[in-house]
Amino acid sequence: MALDQSTVSLTFPDGSVREFPAGTTPAEVAASLSKSLAKKAISAQVNGRHHDLQWPIEADAEIAINTMADDAPALELIRHDLAHIMARAVQELWPETKVTIGPVIERGWYYDFDRDEPFTPEDLGAIEAKMREIIAARDPVTTEVWDRDRAIRHYEEKGEPFKVELVEAIPEGEPVRMYWHGDWQDLCRGPHLSHTGQVPADAFKLMKVAGAYWRGDSNRPMLQRIYGVAFKTRQELKDYLHFLEEAEKRDHRRLGREMKLFHFQEEAPGMVFWHPDGWTIYREMQDYMRRRLDAAGYREINTPQVVDRKLWEASGHWDKYRENMYITEIDEEHAQEKRVNALKPMNCPCHVQVFNTGIKSYRDLPLRLAEFGSCHRYEAHGALHGLMRVRGFTQDDAHIFCTEDQIEAECAGFIDLLSKVYRDTGFPSFDIKLSTRPEVRVGSDAVWDKAEAALEKAILAVRNDYEVDPGEGAFYGPKLDFKLTDAIGREWQCGTFQADFNLPERLDASYIGADGEKHRPVMLHRAILGSFERFIGILIENYSGKLPMWLAPRQVVVATITSDADAYAEEAVAALRAAGLRAEADLRNEKINYKVREHSLGKVPVILAVGQREVDERTVTVRRLGEKATASAGLDEIVSRLAEEARPPDRA
């Protein structure tokens, strides 16, 4: 503790404690430690809060000085300062522009502007150039705290109505903090760097302009939002831009069009129109999952898509989830009022109905009920994104009804099954997040203790590098989330495993225990793919459309070089199909290079070219996707070899 109120005790990361005058700034603290640290310092952590070097410290605290070597605070400051520098650049170029807000977001920032003329791509280049001038000027960054009335008068005099509104919205008692970057001023919570020259001038880029309503309200003015990205080094920026290029090449929406897999249209927003080749991928994935589930002891069921609101009220979904549900009203014959139904947004309440049919004994547990359940959820139109975010989808859903003592074994079994599926589909590793009890929850602490311990023990049986997310469990139980990393480093959350003590109670599920009494089962919600639609989108992007042989919708095309080989091509296709391969003949009167190019764009894994020589020798010329070299092989030999290559991984 400080000796008196005129001093403060600061505790450093190494545990040492030093006394400083009250009101000392982190910049002064850094200077007292060493000249080199004072030069390198960019901000501080004070009691875990990101603290500007200029802000005074008025009470005892733990402190750590940040430098550019500390990635998280450094990137936050770089991106935050760039938001201000960009706004300054815009107003220097177009002084009539009104400024609003400019927060830091993942990998960068945005700033919203009110300007009559739309920004153009050429404008973005001009703004970038002006930003680099400001950075090169190394203008000091300073800050003051003003009272509310002074700040409002300041922005009224400057003609900045959006800033006036922001100041008025700051709660009483909170500081109204003002920042200057050179002579340009903005309202901001901070922190910021000490001068504009600390921002790397070659590690940022302005990306795009988009429309955004002021404060997200469609009744308020439409503003122009400029997005930027920034990193600590030029190489990091270059790597990120390359990542974006690669992601664009792999975009499943573009590949879906090129490969003729699916489409969307306004008459059914968020609903997928599957084409033959796309539906082939879907069926292959579903058949594969069905075999995996059968082998793991699941029993497949099918439940209605349209269910009376009474069930959704009993389950709690009507109160908690109705805005995302599609509601239907039907005039039932002889009914006094319309019957209200809903398209199911999830399968769990219906699965409890199957469990509740007939008397269940403890000997029946665990009971694993699986369904490829067709669900519908209303998503805002702007949130829809190809196969990744849809309104109609099919889950690889299952619910396990078990005793509390069986949770650990069922969790371990699920992780083993999930590992096989992910490995087979090209994701040999994944991350696990354990989300524990939230503040608002149902069930006793003893039950939560048991469930969390069971999930943790099951994870440790497989691996020990998992992440705990405290307080982020569902209100009915803890959960595990499983994240995949694709070929270009993106993370996708697909699988989930959730322990539910609530729904069996609400829907009166029970079993007869060894003691002859009724007991509540635990309900384990679990999915591996999440939804077929989204997982297929992930697969398309991960493989850049070049799907593994067993999943490719068209596995082999036999293309003729001359029409004299048509009959032989048909014979080759018949042999391939007899061996279980998805094969077709291309007998068109086109040059072979044209055919190869077209089928390569369609991501066909193998093209077999046949001409008169191949007819005479009963061979084929083999060209594989992505390879320029060709090879000759006997027809019988290649049919046998390709049939083996196309075998699904669970049958290999």
Side-chain angles (χ1 to χ4, degrees):
M1 293 293 292
L3 297 175
D4 58 65
Q5 293 185 349
S6 64
T7 63
V8 292
S9 293
L10 299 184
T11 304
F12 293 88
D14 64 0
S16 63
V17 179
R18 289 183 60 181
E19 301 293 326
F20 291 87
T24 296
T25 66
E28 292 167 335
V29 173
S32 75
L33 297 174
S34 74
K35 289 182 179 180
S36 63
L37 182 60
K39 290 181 180 179
K40 294 178 182 177
I42 57 172
S43 65
Q45 301 299 129
V46 178
N47 287 336
R49 178 183 172 221
H50 202 184
H51 207 84
D52 195 295
L53 288 178
Q54 303 174 65
W55 295 349
I57 303 170
E58 303 289 357
D60 297 349
E62 294 182 353
I63 186 170
I65 303 299
N66 296 320
T67 69
M68 281 295 180
D70 299 298
D71 283 347
L75 285 170
E76 179 188 343
L77 292 171
I78 288 169
R79 291 161 180 169
H80 201 172
D81 279 59
L82 279 165
H84 283 215
I85 290 169
M86 181 179 76
R88 173 181 165 181
V90 167
Q91 288 198 310
E92 288 188 5
L93 291 166
W94 300 281
E96 76 285 355
T97 304
K98 308 300 181 190
V99 292
T100 63
I101 56 173
V104 172
I105 57 175
E106 185 180 11
R107 298 191 180 91
W109 78 92
Y110 68 77
Y111 209 112
D112 290 345
F113 300 97
D114 183 28
R115 180 173 180 247
D116 292 336
E117 293 296 319
F119 290 109
T120 66
E122 291 75 22
D123 290 339
L124 295 188
I127 296 168
E128 281 190 358
K130 178 61 71 173
M131 290 172 69
R132 292 192 174 93
E133 287 180 19
I134 295 168
I135 293 169
R138 299 176 65 83
D139 286 335
V141 177
T142 58
T143 182
E144 294 179 6
V145 175
W146 285 8
D147 66 61
R148 181 186 306 271
D149 291 341
R150 181 186 178 190
I152 290 173
R153 285 196 308 272
H154 171 77
Y155 285 121
E156 285 176 341
E157 291 168 1
K158 288 188 66 177
E160 294 282 7
F162 300 100
K163 292 296 184 183
V164 171
E165 186 175 334
L166 289 171
V167 173
E168 290 174 339
I170 296 174
E172 289 289 345
E174 286 195 15
V176 179
R177 184 168 288 283
M178 312 293 264
Y179 270 91
W180 285 262
H181 292 251
D183 294 329
W184 185 86
Q185 185 276 329
D186 202 1
L187 172 73
C188 186
R189 291 191 184 96
H192 280 282
L193 292 164
S194 299
H195 62 81
T196 60
Q198 288 178 295
V199 174
D202 59 354
F204 75 90
K205 182 174 179 59
L206 303 187
M207 301 300 291
K208 64 177 181 177
V209 180
Y213 289 110
W214 171 234
R215 311 203 85 167
D217 185 345
S218 60
N219 296 313
R220 307 295 301 276
M222 172 65 79
L223 307 172
Q224 296 187 68
R225 176 172 293 178
I226 300 180
Y227 287 91
V229 296
F231 300 88
K232 288 169 57 178
T233 67
R234 180 182 180 184
Q235 186 58 49
E236 288 173 314
L237 174 65
K238 186 177 179 182
D239 291 345
Y240 178 68
L241 296 178
H242 175 72
F243 164 83
L244 290 182
E245 291 175 8
E246 190 63 28
E248 186 176 354
K249 291 178 190 174
R250 294 167 179 264
D251 191 317
H252 73 282
R253 295 167 297 180
R254 180 178 66 82
L255 290 170
R257 290 191 299 271
E258 292 177 358
M259 297 172 67
K260 300 177 182 176
L261 303 179
F262 56 84
H263 82 272
F264 296 88
Q265 60 189 64
E266 276 305 307
E267 288 79 0
M271 310 289 184
V272 188
F273 288 78
W274 288 104
H275 296 200
D277 282 352
W279 193 242
T280 297
I281 300 170
Y282 192 107
R283 286 191 299 109
E284 285 298 317
M285 276 303 304
Q286 194 172 82
D287 290 346
Y288 164 80
M289 286 303 301
R290 181 171 283 119
R291 292 192 301 270
R292 281 294 189 200
L293 291 171
D294 286 346
Y298 288 81
R299 304 183 70 184
E300 188 175 342
I301 60 174
N302 189 268
T303 59
Q305 291 189 48
V306 181
V307 181
D308 193 289
R309 66 177 286 177
K310 293 175 183 176
L311 180 60
W312 304 114
E313 287 173 344
S315 69
H317 290 91
W318 194 259
D319 290 333
K320 304 290 186 184
Y321 206 75
R322 181 171 42 181
E323 68 274 12
N324 299 104
M325 297 169 69
Y326 285 95
I327 311 299
T328 65
E329 293 186 349
I330 301 172
D331 287 315
E332 292 276 13
E333 189 178 0
H334 306 305
Q336 296 295 318
E337 58 184 25
K338 289 184 178 180
R339 184 167 186 171
V340 180
N341 299 300
L343 281 169
K344 66 178 179 182
M346 52 197 68
N347 305 297
C348 26
C350 292
H351 285 203
V352 179
Q353 306 314 300
V354 175
F355 180 86
N356 283 350
T357 303
I359 298 173
K360 299 296 186 296
S361 161
Y362 69 95
R363 294 188 179 89
D364 298 317
L365 306 184
L367 179 60
R368 307 181 188 100
L369 299 179
E371 178 178 12
F372 299 134
S374 182
C375 298
H376 293 80
R377 298 177 188 172
Y378 175 76
E379 299 276 1
H381 196 277
L384 300 177
H385 180 75
L387 297 178
M388 304 304 194
R389 183 67 69 89
V390 292
R391 291 177 176 172
F393 57 93
T394 300
Q395 294 178 309
D396 69 314
D397 206 3
H399 295 90
I400 303 169
F401 296 87
C402 66
T403 67
E404 290 179 27
D405 292 336
Q406 293 170 333
I407 294 174
E408 181 185 329
E410 289 305 304
C411 180
F414 171 74
I415 294 175
D416 180 62
L417 173 60
L418 173 139
S419 301
K420 292 175 182 175
V421 171
Y422 287 175
R423 183 173 60 250
D424 287 350
T425 51
F427 302 98
S429 63
F430 53 86
D431 294 320
I432 304 176
K433 179 182 289 187
L434 169 60
S435 299
T436 58
R437 70 194 76 185
E439 287 189 20
V440 179
R441 58 183 182 271
V442 297
S444 68
D445 285 343
V447 169
W448 276 87
D449 289 342
K450 194 166 191 174
E452 289 173 355
L455 295 191
E456 192 163 21
K457 191 173 181 181
I459 300 172
L460 290 170
V462 180
R463 55 198 289 179
N464 57 16
D465 56 335
Y466 65 95
E467 179 184 346
V468 176
D469 202 357
E472 293 302 314
F475 72 92
Y476 49 76
K479 63 173 184 168
L480 303 178
D481 289 325
F482 299 84
K483 291 186 177 181
L484 306 175
T485 301
D486 70 11
I488 58 173
R490 295 172 299 184
E491 280 194 342
W492 304 95
Q493 199 267 298
C494 296
T496 188
F497 185 90
Q498 305 170 359
D500 186 353
F501 300 91
N502 182 54
L503 200 58
E505 181 73 31
R506 292 186 69 108
L507 298 182
D508 197 27
S510 64
Y511 67 92
I512 305 300
D515 57 3
E517 300 295 325
K518 282 188 174 182
H519 298 269
R520 295 285 183 216
V522 179
M523 187 177 183
L524 304 177
H525 306 247
R526 45 109 298 166
I528 297 175
L529 308 183
S531 80
F532 281 94
E533 287 74 10
R534 184 166 178 268
F535 198 80
I536 289 171
I538 292 170
L539 285 175
I540 292 169
E541 296 199 357
N542 183 60
Y543 287 105
S544 200
K546 302 171 185 176
L547 294 167
M549 187 77 160
W550 68 280
L551 272 177
R554 293 183 299 153
Q555 295 169 322
V556 190
V557 168
V558 182
T560 54
I561 299 171
T562 65
S563 58
D564 293 340
D566 286 0
Y568 180 59
E570 295 281 18
E571 179 187 346
V573 167
L576 290 162
R577 289 177 176 173
L581 289 151
R582 294 185 288 277
E584 61 183 51
D586 185 347
L587 311 180
R588 294 174 298 166
N589 186 25
E590 299 284 357
K591 291 184 177 180
I592 188 62
N593 287 342
Y594 176 86
K595 295 180 182 181
V596 168
R597 188 163 53 250
E598 184 176 277
H599 296 305
S600 295
L601 184 65
K603 313 301 182 189
V604 177
V606 179
I607 300 169
L608 304 181
V610 293
Q612 189 58 54
R613 187 187 68 181
E614 284 78 13
V615 172
D616 295 340
E617 299 175 354
R618 289 194 59 78
T619 60
V620 294
T621 297
V622 183
R623 181 186 292 271
R624 293 182 179 272
L625 184 62
E627 297 180 5
K628 292 183 178 180
T630 61
S632 181
L635 178 59
D636 293 339
E637 174 197 348
I638 198 64
V639 167
S640 176
R641 193 192 313 163
L642 294 179
E644 187 63 30
E645 290 179 23
R647 195 187 303 274
D650 63 307
R651 291 180 164 176

